[in-house]
Amino acid sequence: MPQRHEQRKAAWLFLFPSLVLYALYVVLPIFFTLYLSTTTWDGFSARVLPACLEFLANSEELGTGASLSGGSTEAPVSCFANYAELWNDDVFWVALRNNLLWLVFFSLSAFVGLALALFFHVKARAASFYKSMFFMPMVFSLVVVGTIWGWFLQPEFGLLEFLLKKMHILGEDEQFGLLASFHWATAGLIVAAAWPHAAYCMVLYLAGLSNLQRNVLEAALIDGVSRWQLLWHIVLPMLRPATIVVTIVTMIGALRSFDLVAIMTGGGPANSSNVLALYMYQQTFENNRYGYGAAIATVLFAVSLLLIVAYLRQTSRDQN
């Protein structure tokens, strides 16, 4: 027992610096964001109080004699006024809808990554070369990816429009403004984001395929199992750990989409392609509404946490 106690003490001593940094840079900002979402802070004033306490403090300074029961001539401001405003904010609901669209269709890149991993899971020099080529987009910054796809989808001299005109799908005087469309701008953004993410999923699945039990696969083939049955009943269940990681990473990537939207459309046209992360940035740093931006961040955090926890619980039930 004394030796076990010493080992546990040594483990906590090694973990202590990491726990302190995690608390400072992850846990504390989360709680501060929750607190900030109850304020109307503009980012410049020295006093950061919840909206209801800010109203009382201002009333006392002006000598109006406000109290918690509402002694002022003006109605007290609720500490959850930012959330009430979000409920009536049309742009917020458009951004939330777009995030859900990202969540649904961005997940298709995981299936593309799985298909690429299965296709390239061979030991050959050519396969290594092609795997490197497919992984190359993941090396690029998302700003670079957004710039490349912005050129590709550009309606006047973009490569996509050039190809459509060469194939006589578009006339010489017609334009295909995908990113300028109210209905299709989000689709163009998701396709651009799926390009590097599919490569990342491919690498994760390749790592999972490298850990498969060869004797199980060989025994199944000897027993006359078809390739499709081998994939569906043996390979995919053995890839479950990789699939869990890929799914969580894909969900987080879809919900925190920001870079490509900011670079390619800026949330336009008319906020039709806006997402919660970009809308939070616009409200916080462009409109100096830090409290309102924190409320958007809180909703985004709650949605992300809810979906990930629900997925992990469902996965644990399936395993049991």
Side-chain angles (χ1 to χ4, degrees):
M1 289 297 294
Q3 184 179 2
R4 187 175 181 181
H5 177 73
E6 292 295 328
Q7 290 177 347
R8 184 175 299 176
K9 183 179 178 181
W12 280 109
L13 287 175
F14 279 110
L15 287 173
F16 181 74
S18 300
L19 293 175
V20 170
L21 292 176
Y22 184 80
L24 286 176
Y25 293 105
V26 178
V27 178
L28 185 61
I30 290 175
F31 283 100
F32 182 71
T33 301
L34 292 173
Y35 172 79
L36 201 62
S37 68
T38 64
T39 72
T40 57
W41 190 46
D42 58 0
F44 297 99
S45 57
R47 186 168 59 190
V48 185
L49 292 175
C52 49
L53 299 182
E54 180 74 20
F55 174 82
L56 293 176
N58 292 335
S59 300
E60 291 177 359
E61 290 177 0
L62 295 174
T64 58
S67 63
L68 290 175
S69 60
S72 172
T73 56
E74 297 181 2
V77 180
S78 170
C79 287
F80 301 100
N82 289 324
Y83 297 98
E85 185 177 349
L86 278 180
W87 185 261
N88 299 311
D89 190 345
D90 294 335
V91 179
F92 166 76
W93 290 109
V94 170
L96 180 60
R97 182 203 65 188
N98 288 335
N99 269 112
L100 296 178
L101 289 175
W102 273 78
L103 189 64
V104 173
F105 293 104
F106 189 62
S107 60
L108 299 177
S109 60
F111 295 98
V112 176
L114 175 61
L116 291 173
L118 293 171
F119 184 76
F120 290 123
H121 186 56
V122 292
K123 294 182 179 179
R125 292 184 178 181
S128 300
F129 171 75
Y130 287 117
K131 281 188 287 187
S132 301
M133 294 298 295
F134 274 94
F135 182 71
M136 189 175 295
M138 192 61 204
V139 181
F140 298 150
S141 167
L142 285 179
V143 176
V144 176
V145 173
T147 304
I148 293 173
W149 276 88
W151 291 340
F152 180 75
L153 299 174
Q154 217 280 338
E156 296 179 0
F157 53 84
L159 181 59
L160 178 61
E161 183 166 321
F162 173 78
L163 294 175
L164 292 176
K165 289 182 178 180
K166 284 295 182 180
M167 297 167 61
H168 301 289
I169 298 176
L170 283 180
E172 291 297 328
D173 298 330
E174 293 180 326
Q175 289 186 350
F176 185 65
L178 182 67
L179 297 181
S181 171
F182 286 92
H183 302 290
W184 295 104
T186 299
L189 294 172
I190 294 174
V191 171
W195 182 46
H197 188 72
Y200 183 59
C201 295
M202 178 190 72
V203 172
L204 292 177
Y205 275 120
L206 282 172
L209 288 171
S210 63
N211 294 324
L212 293 181
Q213 299 178 10
R214 298 284 181 180
N215 55 345
V216 176
L217 301 179
E218 292 173 357
L221 291 174
I222 292 173
D223 290 339
V225 173
S226 65
R227 295 287 180 176
W228 175 254
Q229 291 174 330
L230 180 69
L231 172 64
W232 187 257
H233 296 287
I234 298 177
V235 174
L236 291 182
M238 295 175 80
L239 286 176
R240 184 183 294 271
T243 301
I244 294 174
V245 175
V246 167
T247 303
I248 293 176
V249 169
T250 302
M251 292 171 63
I252 294 174
L255 292 171
R256 69 175 183 86
S257 52
F258 170 82
D259 312 63
L260 286 177
V261 184
I263 292 296
M264 296 178 66
T265 65
N271 288 309
S272 61
S273 65
N274 214 335
V275 290
L276 289 178
L278 179 60
Y279 190 48
M280 173 194 66
Y281 175 86
Q282 292 169 341
Q283 290 294 326
T284 303
F285 299 106
E286 295 179 5
N287 298 336
N288 294 324
R289 301 189 63 192
Y290 283 74
Y292 196 63
I296 300 172
T298 302
V299 173
L300 180 58
F301 174 76
V303 172
S304 304
L305 186 64
L306 179 65
L307 291 174
I308 292 174
V309 170
Y311 172 74
L312 291 177
R313 289 188 63 181
Q314 185 62 40
T315 302
S316 63
R317 288 177 183 175
D318 294 341
Q319 289 179 342
N320 294 333

